[in-house]
Each structure stands twice: as structure tokens, then as C-alpha cells.
Amino acid sequence: MIDHSPTRELSVIGSREGIQSLVDALAGQGYRVLGPTMKDGAIVYDDVASVDDFPAGWTDRQDAGRYQLERRGDAALFGFAVGPHSWKRFLHPPVEGLFTAHEGDDGVVTFSPAAEMPRKLAFIGVRSCELHAIQVQDRVFSGGPCVDQGYASRRQDAFIVAVNCGQAGGTCFCVSMQTGPAVESGFDLALTELPQDFGGALVVETGSTAGAALLEGIPHQPATDAQMAAAQAVVAHTAGQMGRSMQTDGIRNLLLDNPHHPRWAEVADRCLSCGNCTMVCPTCFCTTVEDHSDLSGNTAGRIRSWDSCFTLDFSYIHGGSVRQTRQSRYRQWLTHKLASWIDQFGTSGCVGCGRCITWCPVGIDITAEVAALRAAPDTARHGEDDGGA
């Protein structure tokens, strides 16, 4: 949250020229600069080299199973919610080589890492819900005794330029999850895009010494009282725009106490088991591992790729899959996301970004499913086996 105390100094940079200077400064320090851009009818995160790569003047309209880009009435650079991509795809790539093995002419097999150390990453336009998602994955991949070295190396030097949301999407519910819309921590710089009455200027807050050092090389000036008040008003307005809400009180016990609720069968009748919700989710981390070899048989490699608990093979063990029905797989996903995740990592696995609602082909709404369970809990807590625990 933006702090208006006298000891907290906020700065202002120009909209287009400020972002261009920011991109140039990060690139000059060897970062791979990533930010929002338009591609294939959506706003996605990709490499950016110029402010012209940003989706100036575009917004998104989102609802359950619906996403559409529309023109805004201004030239705002961050006047949209979130698209199908999350920053997870850069910190925890969809496909990642783990190692290669090569057998030499002498019959000796040598193992080597599959890839060199990655370039430093710089993210521009990270929303508060996404910052929370990154922090959730930090717990998963580097918060325990077994650290994922690939994730840790990419995360270690990541430079994060956050953005306070100026517009909520139709499926956003970050206020319910206490994950937004204002950024509070975990960033190097945080931007708030002011209305056009202020010339589209960006209020900048520093969150680290690295952020402060970078800002020194970018033309800026102290924010005025009017600009600081306008920045606060932007966030407050967005908080009142939420397209969805979820009551989270007692949600862990609600889900764990209702394994045989008839709602699971109802949602399974609509679910396609496509896995879209897990692919767009910024916190889901399930993977599978595959080994490949070349035609000569002398070189083999192991890769890790994203997987989904919605696939039949994901829970396969000797003798078959543990969760053979869509009902059991949807229940596993939702119960893990909102209940047992808390037991594992001390936090919910949901940050309220709404992606799973928007990108579900049949418009299944996670907030509606929780509300249905809460409205009529299964007090019996018993039932017949539904084809998978």
C-alpha cells in the first residue's frame, strides 16, 4: 500500500518516456526485460524492448469462459487486468531440461546439466496478486529443505517492477484473498498509473536498494500531494470494482469436511478435464518427468514439463490411476488449492487472480463452487465411493 507518511518519499516519472528509460536501464544491466504485450488476441507477458511493445490504450473484458480485448478511451499502458500468462512461465518454465547423459566410445557415461545458467530476469507490470503467487511458489520451490536449483537461480536475481492495479477484471477477487489490488512488498519498484488528468504520469515507490539505485538513473521528480492522493484513489477505486468475491472464513474445514458433497458430481458433469485452470494458474506447480534418447542411443536427456492433476495419468501408480473420475480430480484440485495447501505451505494456493474462471472453456467458477458448498454443506459426511479418493 502506498504510504503517505512524511518519511516515505514517492517519485513521479513520465508515462512513455519513463517506461522506455526503465526498459533501457534494465537491458543495460544485462537483464532480459519482460512485460505485457499483445499477441494472438490477448495481453501476454513476453520480451519487450520498447514502450511501443506495451498494450497502450487496450483493456480486457473478462467473465467466466470469456476474454476479449477492447480499446480504451485513453493511452494507458497498464489499463487491463491479467491475461492467460503468469510470471510462473519464466521462473518455473513449462518445459525444462534437467540433464543429459552421453556414452563415449570408451563406454563411459557422462552426465551434464541440460542448460547454462539463465540470464537475469526483469519483470515489468507485476500485479499484487501475482507478487503473492510468486511468494507462494517461493515457499514451494525454495522454502523447504529440498530446493529446486533451477527455480532458485532464476528467482535470485529477478528484478520486479510491480504495478498497482488501476482496473479490476470481471473475474478478479483478490480483495477476498487479501492479495490486492495494492502491492505491499516483494518488489524493487512499484508503479501507479495516474489518470489522464495528470498526463498519464506514473507514481513510483522504491522497495529495495536495487530499485532505488535504478531509479537514480531515470529522470524523475518528487511526487506532489495531489499526485500521491490520486495514486491512492486509483487503488481504492479498483478495490471496489471486484468482479467476484469468495468468503474464506473456515474454508479449509469446509472443503475437508465435504468429500462426498453432491456438488462435486454436478461440477464434474460440466468439467472437461482439459487442465486449462491449472495451466493458467500462477501457483499450480505439478510436473511430469520424461526421458528421451537420440537415434544412436548414445545420448539421452531428461526433461520436466508442466502436468495437471486433471489428467488421468497424473495419479497413475502400479495398477492404475488413483483418481479415475472427473469428480475426484476436480475435488482434488479445489481441495488442495484452498485447503490442504494451507497444511503444506502455510498459505492458500489461490491469489484471486480469476484466471481459472476466465479460461475455463465451460465457465466453471471457483467462487461459485465454494459458495455452493457453503450454502448447503454435506452434514452427513458419508457417501459411496465416487471412483477415486
Side-chain angles (χ1 to χ4, degrees):
M1 184 73 69
I2 295 176
D3 187 347
H4 289 171
S5 65
T7 58
R8 194 72 175 241
E9 183 175 339
L10 301 178
S11 304
V12 171
I13 61 175
S15 178
R16 294 185 63 85
E17 62 272 23
I19 291 297
Q20 186 63 63
S21 297
L22 187 60
V23 170
D24 292 342
L26 289 167
Q29 293 186 17
Y31 285 96
R32 179 188 176 190
V33 185
L34 299 149
T37 187
M38 289 177 56
K39 184 179 296 184
D40 298 329
I43 296 175
V44 300
Y45 300 137
D46 209 340
D47 294 274
V48 292
S50 165
V51 68
D52 294 330
D53 295 326
F54 286 69
W58 287 93
T59 190
D60 46 19
R61 298 298 177 194
Q62 302 190 41
D63 205 342
R66 298 180 180 275
Y67 178 95
Q68 183 177 355
L69 294 183
E70 294 180 0
R71 273 290 187 182
R72 293 173 56 94
D74 57 26
L77 295 175
F78 302 100
F80 52 91
V82 293
H85 283 183
S86 69
W87 303 103
K88 176 179 76 172
R89 68 185 290 257
F90 302 106
L91 295 172
H92 173 47
V95 179
E96 181 179 6
L98 299 180
F99 65 81
T100 59
H102 179 74
E103 182 181 17
D105 295 337
D106 55 1
V108 175
V109 178
T110 58
F111 293 85
S112 59
E116 298 179 358
M117 291 295 292
R119 286 179 60 191
K120 297 186 299 181
L121 300 174
F123 302 153
I124 299 179
V126 183
R127 310 297 173 133
S128 180
C129 63
E130 298 178 312
L131 273 173
H132 280 83
I134 291 172
Q135 291 162 6
V136 167
Q137 291 222 314
D138 286 348
R139 294 187 182 98
V140 172
F141 289 115
S142 56
C146 299
V147 175
D148 186 293
Q149 296 300 328
Y151 179 91
S153 64
R154 288 183 287 269
R155 180 72 174 95
Q156 179 179 2
D157 296 321
F159 190 100
I160 294 179
V161 180
V163 171
N164 284 306
C165 290
Q167 176 175 319
T171 56
C172 293
F173 57 101
C174 64
V175 169
S176 298
M177 307 308 294
Q178 300 181 12
T179 57
V183 299
E184 297 178 349
S185 63
F187 58 87
D188 296 291
L189 294 173
L191 310 176
T192 306
E193 190 167 24
L194 299 182
Q196 291 301 302
D197 294 346
F198 291 86
L202 298 165
V203 173
V204 186
E205 178 182 356
T206 57
S208 70
T209 54
L214 190 79
L215 185 61
E216 284 299 314
I218 297 173
H220 65 282
Q221 56 189 11
T224 65
D225 290 342
Q227 289 168 330
M228 289 190 289
Q232 191 73 11
V234 165
V235 175
H237 177 69
T238 305
Q241 281 187 320
M242 293 290 108
R244 297 288 197 280
S245 64
M246 180 187 290
Q247 184 180 345
T248 59
D249 294 345
I251 194 169
R252 174 190 175 277
N253 291 342
L254 173 71
L255 291 165
L256 294 178
D257 289 348
N258 285 276
H260 302 291
H261 196 287
R263 185 70 181 190
W264 300 124
E266 294 174 23
V267 71
D269 286 340
R270 293 179 287 145
C271 179
L272 304 178
S273 284
C274 65
N276 266 21
C277 52
T278 59
M279 295 297 105
V280 297
C281 177
T283 66
C284 278
F285 59 88
C286 291
T287 57
T288 187
V289 174
E290 297 178 353
D291 292 333
H292 301 272
S293 62
D294 61 9
L295 294 177
S296 69
N298 293 326
T299 301
R302 175 166 294 177
I303 64 169
R304 180 176 67 184
S305 58
W306 288 357
D307 203 348
S308 173
C309 56
F310 279 91
T311 63
L312 187 61
D313 289 342
F314 185 76
S315 65
Y316 183 89
I317 57 175
H318 179 69
S321 295
V322 173
R323 302 182 186 94
Q324 298 183 5
T325 66
R326 289 195 303 273
Q327 175 178 339
S328 62
R329 294 196 290 274
Y330 186 87
R331 183 184 60 197
Q332 156 65 21
W333 174 71
L334 191 65
T335 303
H336 185 213
K337 183 68 60 178
L338 298 176
S340 54
W341 200 302
I342 297 172
D343 298 332
Q344 284 182 282
F345 306 111
T347 181
S348 172
C350 177
V351 295
C353 68
R355 286 182 173 94
C356 62
I357 305 172
T358 298
W359 297 97
C360 174
V362 295
I364 295 174
D365 184 339
I366 187 175
T367 65
E369 298 310 312
V370 170
L373 292 170
R374 193 179 293 279
D378 183 10
T379 55
R381 295 174 60 179
H382 295 288
E384 296 181 357
D385 185 11
D386 56 17

